Amino acid sequence: MSTTWLSQDAYDRLQAELDELIAARPVIAAEINERREEGDLRENGGYHAAREEQAKQEHRISYLKELLRDAQVGEAPSADKVSPGMVVTIYFDDDKDDTETFLLGSREISATTDYTVYSPESALGKSILGASGGQTCTYTAPSGADIKVTVVKFEPFAG
C-alpha cells in the first residue's frame, strides 16, 4: 500500500472536517427520529433521505479516520523515481508537444492545489509508479485503448 502524504494544512483541514462531521451526528439522529414520528416509514421520503444522509456521513467519517490515521504529514521524500506526492510531467504517444503536468496523489489533496490530481491506483498512476525520467510506460484507458506515455520530469509536490 502506498503512503499518503499530506501537507500540515491539508491534514488540519481534513481533521476539522472530521471533527465537524462527528459533532453533527446528534443532529442527523434527531432528524431521523423526527421523521420516524411522522408515520408510515414505507412512504416517508424525509425519513429515507435522513437515513441516506446519515449513511453518507458515517462513510465519510470512517474514510477520514483511516486516511488521517495512516497519512504522513510533511513533505514527501525526494526520490529518483516517480512516487506518490510528486508533480509529474508526461507526454502522450510520441508527441512531445502533447504534455500534461499533474500531481500523483490522493484526491483529498486536490483542494490544496491547482494541479489535476491522479491517484496512484488509477491506470495512469499505476503505469508510471517507479518510472524514471525518459521512461515510456503503457496503460489501458477505461475505453480499452492502450495509451503510451513518457515521463518527462517529476519533482516532490511543494504544497
Side-chain angles (χ1 to χ4, degrees):
M1 189 168 97
S2 62
T3 300
T4 301
W5 288 90
L6 296 174
S7 66
Q8 186 64 54
D9 181 55
Y11 182 89
D12 293 343
R13 182 181 50 78
L14 293 171
Q15 183 63 54
E17 179 186 350
L18 176 60
D19 294 343
E20 191 175 301
L21 287 170
I22 290 171
R25 277 177 165 162
V27 175
I28 295 288
E31 176 78 12
I32 290 170
N33 285 336
E34 186 177 309
R35 299 295 180 197
R36 184 180 293 131
E37 293 174 4
E38 291 176 355
D40 187 0
L41 296 181
R42 290 175 291 170
E43 296 182 18
N44 188 331
Y47 171 77
H48 293 291
R51 290 292 307 251
E52 188 174 309
E53 183 61 31
Q54 181 187 42
K56 287 179 187 177
Q57 183 176 331
E58 290 301 320
H59 176 71
R60 182 71 176 161
I61 287 170
S62 177
Y63 175 78
L64 288 173
K65 281 182 175 180
E66 183 177 333
L67 176 70
L68 294 172
R69 181 184 63 238
D70 297 335
Q72 295 290 324
V73 178
E75 290 187 34
S78 61
D80 56 352
K81 296 191 182 287
V82 174
S83 61
M86 294 196 156
V87 176
V88 181
T89 300
I90 59 171
Y91 64 82
F92 293 91
D93 296 317
D94 292 319
D95 184 358
K96 293 184 179 182
D97 294 325
D98 186 11
T99 64
E100 183 175 2
T101 299
F102 56 89
L103 174 61
L104 187 64
S106 166
R107 68 183 174 104
E108 297 300 328
I109 202 165
S110 65
T112 66
T113 180
D114 291 333
Y115 286 110
T116 299
V117 178
Y118 288 107
S119 166
E121 289 79 31
S122 68
L124 172 60
K126 286 180 183 177
S127 73
I128 64 170
L129 272 177
S132 53
Q135 185 173 342
T136 299
C137 307
T138 303
Y139 70 96
T140 303
S143 66
D146 286 336
I147 299 176
K148 184 170 71 169
V149 297
T150 301
V151 176
V152 177
K153 66 179 181 176
F154 52 93
E155 59 191 13
F157 176 59

